[in-house]
Every structure is written in C-alpha cells, then in structure tokens.
C-alpha cells in the first residue's frame, strides 16, 4: 500500500494554526471526523493522545508522525499538515515541529502500519524534502511536492 493512495489532496493542509501539540491533534481529529463518517473526533483524539503518552511521535528536525489504531477505521488514512507556526511536540531533539504527518490504521493492521510509518519516515528524513515542504507557499505547491516525493520513493523500492 502506498502513501499516495491514502493521502488524497484534500488531506494535505497548508498553513494550519498550531498553538500546541494538543491543539494540532484536536484540529486533525475534528478535520478527519468531518471527512470520514465512520470516525468520531473524540475517539480519534483520544487514541492519538494515548499514543503520545507512550512517547512523543516527534521524530526530530521539525517533523512529527502522530499515529494510532482505530477500530472504526476500515483502511489506513493519512493527513499532512504544514503548521503556520512550529509547536513544541516533545520531539526527541527538542526542536519544535512544523511538519506533521498523521496516520490512522485499522486495529489489526500490523505490517501495513509499520510499512506506512517507514515510508513516511524515509521521506521526512531527507533534509532537502523538509526544506522544500517548508518553502511551499500554497496548498497546491505543498501537495505537488509531497506527491512527487512519495512517487520517487515508491519507484526506488
């Protein structure tokens, strides 16, 4: 399964208000529940926060990959947020986060979950990719660049 198939254009969000880690997770939970009838915003938020309690999903270099399993999720769902202002995400390097890639997967999706997390981490670990995502000045630019990086990574596998 490719990230491109689970990240439609309407889930690549530009200039999202941050404020705090909690607010970012609340924003995404509300947004995804409005667009996915089977999901409840409070349940999604609770699962994302529960995962954060196990350890921050801030992987460093201004990137976070919050992720959770949901019994109401029939297939993996992804969202990408470029925050208007970086927020403290308790990242491993202590740097604030402005690039957030969110993953929700079905309760039983072990291998798929890990493969998708690996794809995201691989893309976001590239310094040039992060710089280009930060330079994007519109949702379209952000989407086009992110899609091209996902396709490049898929082609190299």
């Amino acid at each position: 399964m490719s990230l491109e198939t689970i990240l439609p254009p309407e889930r690549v969000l530009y200039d999202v208000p941050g404020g705090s880690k909690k607010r970012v997770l609340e924003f995404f939970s509300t947004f995804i529940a409005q667009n996915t009838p089977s999901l409840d915003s409070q349940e999604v938020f609770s699962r994302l926060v529960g995962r954060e309690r196990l350890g921050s999903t801030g992987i460093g270099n201004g990137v976070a990959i919050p992720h959770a399993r949901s019994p109401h999720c029939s297939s993996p769902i992804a969202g990408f947020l470029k925050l208007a202002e970086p927020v403290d995400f308790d990242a491993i390097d202590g740097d604030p986060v402005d690039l957030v890639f969110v993953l929700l997967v079905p309760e039983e999706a072990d291998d798929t979950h890990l493969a998708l997390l690996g794809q995201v981490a691989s893309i976001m670990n590239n310094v040039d990719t992060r710089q280009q995502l930060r330079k994007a000045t519109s949702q379209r630019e952000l989407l086009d660049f992110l899609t091209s990086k996902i396709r490049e990574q898929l082609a190299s596998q």
Side-chain angles (χ1 to χ4, degrees):
M1 176 167 289
S2 161
L3 285 174
E4 189 174 5
T5 60
I6 65 168
L7 183 66
E10 63 273 14
R11 283 199 233 124
V12 175
L13 305 176
Y14 172 80
D15 214 21
V16 173
S20 68
K21 180 195 318 196
K22 182 180 175 202
R23 283 213 181 113
V24 169
L25 297 176
E26 279 176 332
F27 173 89
F28 177 79
S29 299
T30 301
F31 169 79
I32 202 64
Q34 288 171 345
N35 293 282
T36 313
S38 66
L39 297 177
D40 172 73
S41 64
Q42 283 303 336
E43 194 256 343
V44 171
F45 177 69
S46 172
R47 288 184 175 267
L48 289 170
V49 168
R51 169 57 189 86
E52 288 299 318
R53 283 193 192 109
L54 299 175
S56 176
T57 57
I59 63 169
N61 299 305
V63 176
I65 312 174
H67 55 281
R69 297 175 188 281
S70 170
H72 306 291
C73 189
S74 56
S75 62
I77 295 172
F80 181 80
L81 297 81
K82 179 178 183 274
L83 303 181
E85 297 290 325
V87 300
D88 180 13
F89 224 85
D90 303 314
I92 57 172
D93 61 1
D95 289 349
V97 163
D98 62 342
L99 302 174
V100 182
F101 214 120
V102 189
L103 280 175
L104 294 176
V105 297
E107 200 83 69
E108 67 287 342
D110 290 334
D111 294 343
T112 303
H113 184 195
L114 296 175
L116 290 169
L117 282 172
Q119 288 177 41
V120 173
S122 174
I123 291 167
M124 300 310 288
N125 276 334
N126 183 294
V127 65
D128 294 329
T129 297
R130 292 191 307 270
Q131 287 174 343
Q132 290 297 325
L133 289 169
R134 288 184 174 114
K135 284 182 191 172
T137 57
S138 68
Q139 191 271 347
R140 170 55 55 194
E141 203 177 310
L142 192 64
L143 173 65
D144 290 347
F145 183 74
L146 190 55
T147 302
S148 75
K149 287 297 163 190
I150 290 169
R151 288 177 181 163
E152 275 177 33
Q153 186 210 37
L154 202 56
S156 70
Q157 288 181 337

